Amino acid sequence: MASNKAQKIHKPGASDRGPIFSRLIQFILLVALDIGTVWFLIKLADLGYFPLAAAVLIIAIFVNVVLLRKKAYPIRWMLVGLVFMGLFTIYPIVFTVWVAFTNYGESHLITKQQAIDQILNLTYLPETGKAYSWTAFKSSGGEYALWLKDADGNGYLVKPGEPLSQPQPGEASVGALDGQGIPESIEGYQRLNGILAATDKNLMSIKFGEEGKTIQIRSPMEAAELQPLYQYDAEQDAMINQETGTVYKNLRGMFTSSAGQELRPGFVASIKWTNFRDFFISPALRGPIVRLVTWNFGFAFFSLLLNFSLGLAIAILYNDPDFPLKKLIRSLLIIPYTVPALITILIWRGMLNPDIGVVSRVLESLFGWSPPWFTDQWWAKIAILLVNLWLSYPYFMLICSGALQSIPDEIYAAAKVDGASPWQTFWKITLPLLLVAVGPLLIASFTFNFNNFNLIYLFNAGGPPMAGTPTPAGHTDILISYVYNLAFSGSRGVNYGFASAITIIIFLIVGTITLIQFRFTRMWEKVGENV
Amino acid sequence: MSEPISIQPPRKSMRKQRRRSIIVRWIIAIFLIFFSIFPVLWVVSASLNPTGTLATQQLIPNNPGFGNYRELLNLDQFPFWKWLWNSIKVSSITSVLSLAITTVAAYAFSRFRFRGRQTMLKGILLINVFPGVLALVATFLMVSQIGDVFTFLGLDNHASLIMVYLGGAMGVNIWLMKGFLDTIPRDIDESAMVEGASDWQIFTRLILPLLRPILIVILILNYIGTYGDFVLARVLLRSNENYTLMVGLQIFAGAQFSQRWGVFAAGALMGALPIMIIYLALQDQIVGGLTQGAVKG
Amino acid sequence: MKRLVSLVSLLVVFSFVLAACGPAATEAPVVPTAAVAEPTAAVVEPTAAPTEPPAPVATLKIWADDTRTPILLEFAEEFRAKYNVEVVVEDLGRVQDIRTPMITAAPAGEGPDLFIGVHDWLGALVDSGLVAPIDLGAKAEEFLPLALQAFTYTDGKLYGVPYATENLGFFYNTELVATPPTTWAEVLDISRALKAEGKIEYAFGMAGGGYENLPVLTANGGYIFGLDDNGAWNPDDVGLDSAGMIAGVKWLADAAKEGLIPVTADYETAHQLFETGKAPFLMAGPWALDRIRASGVPYAVTKFPDDGAPFLGVQGFMVNAFSENILLAQSFLTEYVATQEFMQKIYDTGLRPSAFKAVAATMTDKDLVAMGEAGVNAIPMPNIPEMGSVWSAWNNGIALAVSGEQTPEESMTDAANQVRALIKGALAGMVNLPGSYQDQVGCGAQWDPACEATAMKAGDDGKYTLTVQLKAGDYEFKVALDGAWTVNYGSDGAQDGPNYKFTMPADGSVTFTYNPETKLVEIVIQ
């Protein structure tokens, strides 16, 4: 076996004789690439996207190492793929892991800074404060003046930094009042209607009037002597209510007073292992875990077995080049794979419906009985497997048809000479050789079905329900559908942090299985190499 | 059960046996075709049904008609052809690029021995079994952030969607391809190497032609996978004009309160046609590959 | 030969990666030019002005559903002409589809200024800081009070401008049933008679669980959450196991046992049965009118028997709290959306009763009028986030009772306990003493009701104890249950009572003993 092939190719010779010119081009390209990356990194850092910048930096370093180190020659063949994988597959996984240690979810969606900014923007109207309706005037220089009207209909003029005045029409360049008591014009200013005024994003933050008694616009209807309601005390990491003096301290992503009052909104905060701990300590959250896991394995295993068997059988049965109309047969059999599963799952749901579904109706007219596909747990499980079989066998049919072509005819011929029956040929030759290529896909398919949320969710949402469980769960719920349901039904809304934590636990389970199954792939690989 | 190509001239009893086997296989085929087609017939029925329901009691609905097709094709609000074109464009580009990445990488895994090879192979499989609950959120944030620097790679853009799809190119298909490569005898490359061919030459001139069946299979898998995706595309695409077909059809696929399953069914069937055409066109390539005995070690 | 490979791979890398890294790489293979060049679909071009229009002074982005988008586009054109403000409307499909993008996009600054939503999202959106309050001023008078109430959150602020309401109505087959029944018992009587004649198969199909059958449950006195003193939803009062709820579920289970209701709850089944005349009754919302009309079944809509109350859902416009144009968005709502012209247009195409008084008064569609009447006593869907904990448990409870696997008492008691457990969260059962001493004993914060270091341990006598080492000083604390502040007792043993106070004369240990019967804590300082 060529165990050191990479090195062998690298033995001096061809490469060192290469013209300097092409190596120079390589080098220039790499430098250009790096310059581009650095520019991109600076931009990202400027915008404050540090996690992404870090990811890009790591990938860029990796690319450089691979391109500069001769030993990494084989990696160059897959560099493009690895770059994309790093950015669009691994980065999201890292993100998921990070989320698992936070309270990210509804009520805790935004960053701490965003939450602080929002809370600091809250204002209150002190008891002595006055509220007015407002009309904006704008000077050619972009300065604003407000014409205010209080509840009694008195008009006032106010400009930033100047005290409130109560000019009469004609005074202080104020023009005649219209029917609503608002001046038609103010000299040097243009009257704006509500919407035009609102197009200025900064209008709400302008403080009109003299220091200490400033007036701010708070809505299209109202401007008032508003005071900021909260102040942030960085030392205590707390918000202090200016009206009541109550202190709200940061408690796991929510400013909370000592009396337990919470200040909305919450923000994303690290909560360490809490999500994991919650799952393990709380019987309510764990639910009927043993039953769920058992069915989950059963579902994944039987799905794989059935889907692969049927796909393989079809591939073998109609692999014969002389079989009449085999093209037509294959084309018809691939159809389930071409129609979106979203609709076909629901069609199956309709066909199996006990009251109106065609399958149930036909069975009923033939045998006077039809299975309770949706209310009996065993029939529900059979139904799920059936639908999954229908959805997935074309995939295996395709793959097996392709992989079968790698088995040289001579082997079959030799087997035939040896007098092997077709059945023996299948078990001794076809299947082992096929598994070389298809084996890993079986593992992947197992794990895919292990987490096949869409099918369960669309077909019967995990039903029928189990009786007497601490949390809602269904007989056909698999771990991931159970967990999603749980993460979506927390009292604080959707809890992504919890969902991520359980995802990681599920990954540990599935990953372990995968690694165990890996031993077979080694074996398969050896089989392959010995051909 | 399997009936490999016979080498010896068929004898009389064998011919009889063969005919019987063909008949049995035909019966099985009819049963299987019924199983595979029957639900699709109900999709057809739903597409002709004006009430927009999925659970009809008769295969031929009351007042069948092409109203759903008309609605899908005629309303300005639903640029069906544009969606279809977007889907074909995105799927074609993605599946070809993805196939290229997969094939080259699988070749390296199959033919070179380097440190970390097994680990990388394991890693690829492990990464692909990670349940990506939040991958969508992360991908969305990332694309939106990249888009703040390069608008053409931001949200609502086919380029970024294709890039995200390519992130899955280093997936389990590498294993499939590598497995296939492993069964191609190494003598082929070694003899070529003796003659002074480079790895790249061996790969492109000798190995690639032998890979045709599996290339086609992976191409079709990629194509169908991309074509049928609505989860990622839904998150990354925003404007009606840029939707792929599956995202566009989602408009009609309300959870339960929608009345437009008929339109969805019509769109799904019409959308299935390109895939069928591709499969029909490429079918011969899958089965016709190595068995012709073009190159044998 | 190695040179060739590395060069090729470099080039490939270069074209791929540089395509991602430099705007100069215009010919990158991954970038389909069509996608780049095209403007966003929904950008509204200004009205055909002969001259080049001036650049818009501001842009307002709206996320809407496919029914409302065309209407908004129409108004957008007018808005642009009048104020030179560009209104971009993005069609996100169905109304339900707007929520998730909002949650992911808004914090990242990718959200719209305005979006369409349903009132029961408020719990999640307000608590997450994603929506800004709205001041309708005097215009509030012009909306149905129930609709405004639905968009008012527990803090008393209004967060949406409603445009339509939706609730279930009671459909009956006018060919089979001459006069609509006024009690649920009558519903079954009529159905029994019709079934005996062989005209029907069932009375009605259950289209789902709790939501779809609420009028039966409320007619029996069932409720989901009680109200607190201020009239806001009280998540501590879960009514799934209330006598009324159980009675309602029992009614369904009995009807199913008798064969008057199919055991499998399914939306399609329920509608099919009604549309094909195999069931004379149906509880359905305005969304189903299209298909029922298309089916040709003779029908009418009316109030629910026994004054059963459905849920009320209210759709409306909300303002993204991260919008940079909050004032403009609000002005758009008050000046353009809250007008009769706009509301009329929405009503004309939306097939929902209007939430605007003037439009609701002139509704001509008799089904929608009837729907509105059926919804007069409707219960606004609770908009507190705890409602998320209810659905699965509630639906499962009903399904288990109807299938006969459990009695209604068992199944609904289970369901209620499941909901309580979900609301309490993982720390249910914890007795804690949050206070000012907590940072000394490893809690990392003070007044933390979920700190495990100060969780009390249950003794054999039913009392809970906790011993901690403290430095000299004055301290305060309270009793809190289940790791949250929801249930807490002060030094008087009453909910929300005053803090306990104690003084440590010197460094030492202190033992607290909590008696769950008196809800009082005994403090022993060593």
Side-chain angles (χ1 to χ4, degrees):
Chain A
M1 242 171 48
S3 60
N4 260 334
K5 198 158 219 175
Q7 270 82 349
K8 208 153 69 188
I9 298 166
H10 273 279
K11 287 279 147 63
S15 70
D16 282 14
R17 271 188 284 117
I20 295 173
F21 180 65
S22 88
R23 302 190 72 190
L24 196 68
I25 287 192
Q26 283 181 35
F27 192 70
I28 290 170
L29 285 177
L30 186 62
V31 168
L33 179 83
D34 285 342
I35 291 172
T37 312
V38 167
W39 178 80
F40 185 48
L41 282 172
I42 292 171
K43 280 274 186 184
L44 286 178
D46 249 10
L47 290 162
Y49 303 150
F50 297 111
L52 181 59
V56 172
L57 181 65
I58 292 170
I59 290 171
I61 291 173
F62 176 75
V63 169
N64 274 289
V65 169
V66 169
L67 291 182
L68 291 174
R69 276 188 56 148
K70 285 189 174 174
K71 271 198 166 173
Y73 168 77
I75 309 288
R76 286 179 208 172
W77 286 73
M78 54 192 87
L79 191 54
V80 179
L82 288 176
V83 167
F84 281 115
M85 181 167 92
L87 214 46
F88 297 108
T89 310
I90 298 180
Y91 180 80
I93 290 178
V94 174
F95 178 82
T96 308
V97 173
W98 171 74
V99 167
F101 292 94
T102 68
N103 57 4
Y104 183 62
E106 286 179 2
S107 307
H108 297 277
L109 282 173
I110 59 181
T111 65
K112 186 173 177 185
Q113 195 52 51
Q114 283 175 321
I116 290 178
D117 289 348
Q118 253 191 39
I119 294 170
L120 291 183
N121 264 334
L122 293 176
T123 50
Y124 74 108
L125 191 60
E127 264 176 51
T128 56
K130 285 173 94 175
Y132 311 88
S133 68
W134 58 273
T135 310
F137 290 79
K138 193 177 185 182
S139 77
S140 50
E143 311 242 305
Y144 281 98
L146 290 187
W147 183 264
L148 302 175
K149 262 175 59 186
D150 65 15
D152 304 327
N154 300 318
Y156 304 87
L157 182 67
V158 65
K159 296 175 186 172
E162 291 176 28
L164 205 65
S165 62
Q166 205 172 354
Q168 296 306 310
E171 290 176 31
S173 58
V174 171
L177 300 183
D178 67 5
Q180 292 167 308
I182 302 165
E184 310 261 15
S185 65
I186 298 178
E187 210 178 303
Y189 289 88
Q190 195 194 353
R191 181 172 160 181
L192 303 176
N193 70 36
I195 288 179
L196 271 185
T199 56
D200 189 327
K201 294 173 183 173
N202 300 320
L203 192 59
M204 278 176 102
S205 52
I206 298 177
K207 294 193 166 88
F208 294 91
E210 59 190 319
E211 195 76 13
K213 272 186 85 177
T214 55
I215 294 170
Q216 261 179 287
I217 290 171
R218 105 155 131 190
S219 77
M221 307 289 173
E222 196 179 57
E225 293 176 1
L226 300 172
Q227 299 287 330
L229 185 51
Y230 293 96
Q231 261 182 0
Y232 179 62
D233 179 353
E235 205 165 292
Q236 294 188 71
D237 194 9
M239 284 287 169
I240 297 156
N241 186 316
Q242 301 300 300
E243 200 178 5
T244 62
T246 315
V247 177
Y248 296 82
K249 286 190 180 170
N250 176 7
L251 188 64
R252 286 184 298 271
M254 190 73 108
F255 289 110
T256 314
S257 79
S258 67
Q261 279 166 318
E262 291 173 334
L263 213 52
R264 282 194 292 260
F267 47 90
V268 182
S270 160
I271 51 169
K272 303 196 182 103
W273 291 91
T274 306
N275 287 322
F276 295 90
R277 189 200 61 192
D278 283 358
F279 184 71
F280 286 109
I281 64 163
S282 166
L285 294 186
R286 264 200 326 276
I289 195 84
V290 176
R291 280 201 273 174
L292 289 172
V293 171
T294 312
W295 159 242
N296 203 343
F297 275 105
F299 168 68
F301 176 77
F302 285 111
S303 284
L304 179 63
L305 186 73
L306 293 172
N307 305 348
F308 176 64
S309 306
L310 184 60
L312 176 63
I314 293 173
I316 289 176
L317 282 177
Y318 309 106
N319 186 33
D320 183 344
D322 303 328
F323 193 77
L325 291 178
K326 73 177 167 60
K327 267 169 93 173
L328 177 72
I329 295 175
R330 285 164 165 277
S331 304
L332 289 174
L333 289 180
I334 202 82
I335 282 182
Y337 204 46
T338 61
V339 186
L342 175 66
I343 190 167
T344 46
I345 292 173
L346 292 167
I347 284 282
W348 270 100
R349 190 185 147 94
M351 291 193 341
L352 296 182
N353 184 295
D355 295 295
I356 53 175
V358 61
V359 172
S360 303
R361 293 239 153 183
V362 167
L363 288 177
E364 203 132 343
S365 63
L366 289 180
F367 308 107
W369 176 84
S370 75
W373 298 108
F374 293 93
T375 38
D376 179 85
Q377 58 158 315
W378 300 110
W379 284 108
K381 285 172 181 174
I382 290 170
I384 286 261
L385 288 173
L386 180 74
V387 175
N388 202 12
L389 174 66
W390 187 85
L391 288 171
S392 314
Y393 81 83
Y395 171 76
F396 285 107
M397 175 182 130
L398 256 180
I399 287 173
C400 292
S401 314
L404 275 178
Q405 311 308 320
S406 72
I407 301 172
D409 299 335
E410 289 85 352
I411 298 183
Y412 287 127
K416 207 150 208 184
V417 171
D418 292 346
S421 71
W423 195 245
Q424 281 171 321
T425 317
F426 172 77
W427 284 108
K428 296 269 166 61
I429 295 171
T430 315
L431 191 61
L433 285 178
L434 197 68
L435 285 179
V436 176
V438 176
L441 273 83
L442 296 186
I443 299 180
S445 173
F446 180 88
T447 53
F448 171 79
N449 277 319
F450 198 87
N451 293 324
N452 195 344
F453 175 78
N454 279 349
L455 171 65
I456 305 276
Y457 179 76
L458 283 176
F459 184 69
N460 61 6
M466 286 185 196
T469 52
T471 36
H475 284 293
T476 56
D477 258 328
I478 54 176
L479 272 176
I480 200 109
S481 66
Y482 169 75
V483 164
Y484 275 32
N485 208 349
L486 206 57
F488 276 71
S489 55
S491 60
R492 288 263 190 195
V494 181
N495 188 344
Y496 295 117
F498 183 72
S500 299
I502 310 307
T503 303
I504 291 172
I505 294 173
I506 294 176
F507 172 69
L508 292 179
I509 299 173
V510 178
T512 314
I513 301 167
T514 309
L515 286 180
I516 292 171
Q517 286 167 326
F518 225 84
R519 289 204 256 154
F520 297 109
T521 67
R522 276 255 174 90
M523 195 176 78
W524 294 329
E525 195 171 54
K526 289 216 178 82
V527 173
E529 278 161 2
N530 292 335
V531 169
Chain B
M1 273 174 64
S2 128
E3 189 75 9
I5 305 123
S6 49
I7 311 276
Q8 298 149 329
R11 270 178 253 128
K12 208 173 177 190
S13 69
M14 278 192 73
R15 209 176 290 154
K16 205 170 152 197
Q17 198 189 336
R18 185 172 162 72
R19 189 176 307 146
R20 209 176 60 209
S21 131
I22 286 181
I23 291 170
V24 168
R25 280 191 272 170
W26 253 106
I27 293 169
I28 297 174
I30 288 168
F31 177 77
L32 286 173
I33 289 170
F34 180 75
F35 176 62
S36 82
I37 296 290
F38 191 64
V40 179
L41 291 180
W42 288 88
V43 181
V44 176
S45 158
S47 78
L48 298 174
N49 190 335
T51 62
T53 172
L54 278 188
T56 36
Q57 295 180 53
Q58 323 108 334
L59 195 51
I60 298 160
N62 296 330
N63 320 315
F66 289 93
N68 292 321
Y69 291 87
R70 264 199 298 278
E71 182 175 353
L72 183 67
L73 298 180
N74 291 347
L75 285 179
D76 296 341
Q77 217 184 324
F78 312 119
F80 177 80
W81 298 112
K82 180 92 183 124
W83 291 345
L84 189 65
W85 165 240
N86 288 342
S87 269
I88 291 175
K89 184 177 75 180
V90 169
S91 310
S92 305
I93 297 176
T94 306
S95 52
V96 170
L97 290 180
S98 173
L99 180 65
I101 292 174
T102 308
T103 313
V104 180
Y107 179 74
F109 276 123
S110 170
R111 287 306 194 252
F112 302 140
R113 290 293 176 272
F114 51 94
R115 248 208 3 234
R117 189 183 78 102
Q118 279 292 337
T119 321
M120 278 178 78
L121 278 170
K122 268 186 221 176
I124 287 171
L125 200 53
L126 277 182
I127 283 168
N128 278 284
V129 304
F130 194 94
V133 205
L134 291 175
L136 280 180
V137 179
T139 309
F140 172 84
L141 290 176
M142 177 165 48
V143 171
S144 117
Q145 291 177 354
I146 292 177
D148 285 350
V149 183
F150 304 117
T151 327
F152 64 97
L153 289 175
L155 294 171
D156 200 17
N157 204 309
H158 292 158
S160 55
L161 183 63
I162 291 172
M163 291 214 324
V164 174
Y165 284 142
L166 289 182
M170 294 286 279
V172 284
N173 285 342
I174 285 195
W175 279 90
L176 182 62
M177 181 66 80
K178 174 187 163 293
F180 198 95
L181 276 161
D182 285 346
T183 59
I184 293 178
R186 242 157 248 262
D187 323 355
I188 299 183
D189 349 5
E190 269 157 23
S191 57
M193 201 172 286
V194 172
E195 285 162 31
S198 71
D199 288 330
W200 187 250
Q201 285 165 334
I202 294 172
F203 171 64
T204 49
R205 307 240 175 99
L206 290 176
I207 306 292
L208 216 48
L210 296 179
L211 293 178
R212 198 175 57 194
I214 204 73
L215 287 175
I216 302 292
V217 166
I218 294 182
L219 188 75
I220 292 177
L221 289 179
N222 283 341
Y223 199 93
I224 294 180
T226 318
Y227 193 87
D229 168 72
F230 58 86
V231 180
L232 262 173
R234 162 104 231 174
V235 171
L236 296 182
L237 299 179
R238 274 298 149 67
S239 57
N240 216 319
E241 289 263 302
N242 281 342
Y243 280 173
T244 59
L245 183 60
M246 288 304 142
V247 178
L249 289 181
Q250 293 298 299
I251 293 177
F252 308 104
Q256 50 170 217
F257 294 154
S258 169
Q259 309 93 25
R260 287 146 115 182
W261 277 115
V263 185
F264 186 91
L269 287 172
M270 288 170 62
L273 286 180
I275 296 186
M276 282 303 290
I277 292 169
I278 287 172
Y279 179 72
L280 285 175
L282 296 178
Q283 205 195 154
D284 287 342
Q285 308 288 321
I286 300 178
V287 190
L290 271 184
T291 45
Q292 310 305 327
V295 188
K296 281 275 105 141
Chain C
M1 52 184 173
K2 169 227 146 199
R3 201 172 56 237
L4 185 76
V5 170
S6 46
L7 195 68
V8 166
S9 55
L10 231 179
L11 271 173
V12 175
V13 169
F14 201 70
S15 55
F16 276 67
V17 179
L18 260 205
C21 292
T26 40
E27 295 200 341
V30 226
V31 184
T33 42
V36 182
E38 272 151 16
T40 330
V43 172
V44 178
E45 295 304 326
T47 42
T51 50
E52 191 67 18
V57 291
T59 306
L60 200 62
K61 187 156 99 176
I62 305 179
W63 280 358
D65 67 317
D66 52 352
T67 317
R68 257 55 69 166
T69 299
I71 303 170
L72 285 165
L73 283 176
E74 222 173 281
F75 278 82
E77 228 163 282
E78 191 187 321
F79 206 64
R80 166 90 191 226
K82 230 172 172 173
Y83 302 107
N84 196 22
V85 173
E86 185 179 47
V87 179
V88 178
V89 187
E90 292 182 355
D91 178 355
L92 269 72
R94 298 164 299 145
V95 175
Q96 305 94 290
D97 292 333
I98 300 176
R99 178 176 167 151
T100 314
M102 213 18 233
I103 281 173
T104 41
E110 295 282 349
D113 297 300
L114 281 170
F115 62 101
I116 277 179
V118 188
H119 80 275
D120 63 314
W121 304 353
L122 281 187
L125 296 183
V126 176
D127 283 4
S128 308
L130 299 188
V131 279
I134 294 169
D135 181 3
L136 272 180
K139 289 217 163 178
E141 299 285 310
E142 297 175 37
F143 290 87
L144 298 180
L146 207 55
L148 282 183
Q149 184 201 328
F151 265 112
T152 308
Y153 197 51
T154 48
D155 58 4
K157 290 182 190 160
L158 182 73
Y159 285 93
V161 176
Y163 61 80
T165 61
E166 51 185 27
N167 54 263
L168 298 176
F170 191 63
F171 287 73
Y172 64 97
N173 185 320
T174 47
E175 207 165 87
L176 296 167
V177 182
T179 46
T182 53
T183 65
W184 285 107
E186 208 181 315
V187 167
L188 291 189
D189 289 339
I190 293 173
S191 306
R192 262 184 220 110
L194 286 170
K195 196 174 179 184
E197 292 174 46
K199 285 186 179 162
I200 58 158
E201 289 178 17
Y202 295 107
F204 61 89
M206 295 193 299
Y211 180 94
E212 291 81 358
N213 296 301
L214 190 69
V216 173
L217 307 175
T218 45
N220 283 283
Y223 67 97
I224 297 95
F225 287 124
L227 295 174
D228 65 15
D229 300 336
N230 304 324
W233 297 111
N234 177 10
D236 298 328
D237 181 3
V238 177
L240 292 195
D241 53 355
S242 61
M245 183 64 78
I246 290 172
V249 174
K250 188 170 180 321
W251 187 90
L252 288 172
D254 290 346
K257 204 184 275 170
E258 204 187 327
L260 291 171
I261 298 179
V263 174
T264 313
D266 183 71
Y267 183 82
E268 282 298 336
T269 310
H271 282 78
Q272 285 274 317
L273 287 173
F274 183 75
E275 285 159 13
T276 52
K278 286 175 184 147
F281 303 108
L282 177 70
M283 290 182 266
W287 50 82
L289 278 171
D290 267 342
R291 63 175 283 174
I292 291 174
R293 285 172 185 172
S295 75
V297 68
Y299 74 96
V301 189
T302 183
K303 288 197 322 175
F304 286 100
D306 286 328
D307 283 330
F311 269 137
L312 180 73
V314 184
Q315 294 182 357
F317 289 87
M318 297 186 244
V319 178
N320 178 1
F322 289 96
S323 160
E324 289 179 342
N325 293 309
I326 289 191
L327 196 60
L328 181 61
Q330 294 198 0
S331 303
F332 182 80
L333 288 181
T334 46
E335 302 284 320
Y336 265 74
V337 171
T339 59
Q340 186 162 1
E341 189 196 356
F342 187 89
M343 289 292 172
Q344 186 66 45
K345 281 239 169 72
I346 283 204
Y347 164 76
D348 289 342
T349 56
L351 206 63
R352 299 281 189 282
S354 179
F356 199 70
K357 277 181 188 166
V359 176
T362 58
M363 285 195 297
T364 47
D365 186 319
K366 67 175 177 25
D367 294 336
L368 292 184
V369 173
M371 284 278 178
E373 278 165 17
V376 164
N377 61 345
I379 304 163
M381 182 113 68
N383 57 12
I384 50 175
E386 284 85 356
M387 192 61 198
S389 307
V390 172
W391 295 114
S392 302
W394 190 18
N395 294 343
N396 285 0
I398 295 173
L400 285 168
V402 170
S403 72
E405 200 170 334
Q406 283 184 309
T407 65
E409 289 81 7
E410 283 167 0
S411 76
M412 292 319 287
T413 310
D414 278 358
N417 289 334
Q418 287 174 350
V419 174
R420 290 186 188 111
L422 283 172
I423 290 178
K424 280 179 184 167
L427 300 179
M430 179 188 261
V431 178
N432 212 327
L433 298 181
S436 58
Y437 69 96
Q438 275 181 307
D439 52 346
Q440 285 190 30
V441 295
C443 283
Q446 297 178 352
W447 299 103
D448 180 357
C451 172
E452 284 192 84
T454 56
M456 306 186 87
K457 285 177 189 62
D460 297 332
D461 54 357
K463 291 182 180 170
Y464 291 79
T465 55
L466 169 71
T467 304
V468 289
Q469 299 287 328
L470 295 180
K471 296 200 180 97
D474 296 327
Y475 298 100
E476 294 185 23
F477 71 90
K478 248 179 159 179
V479 181
L481 303 189
D482 303 327
W485 281 109
T486 324
V487 182
N488 69 83
Y489 302 114
S491 57
D492 52 0
Q495 168 83 16
D496 296 328
N499 291 348
Y500 286 93
K501 295 186 174 144
F502 68 96
T503 305
M504 295 291 289
D507 295 5
S509 86
V510 56
T511 298
F512 307 99
T513 310
Y514 169 71
N515 183 341
E517 275 164 35
T518 61
K519 311 203 181 335
L520 288 172
V521 174
E522 197 185 322
I523 308 167
V524 181
I525 300 171
Q526 270 104 34

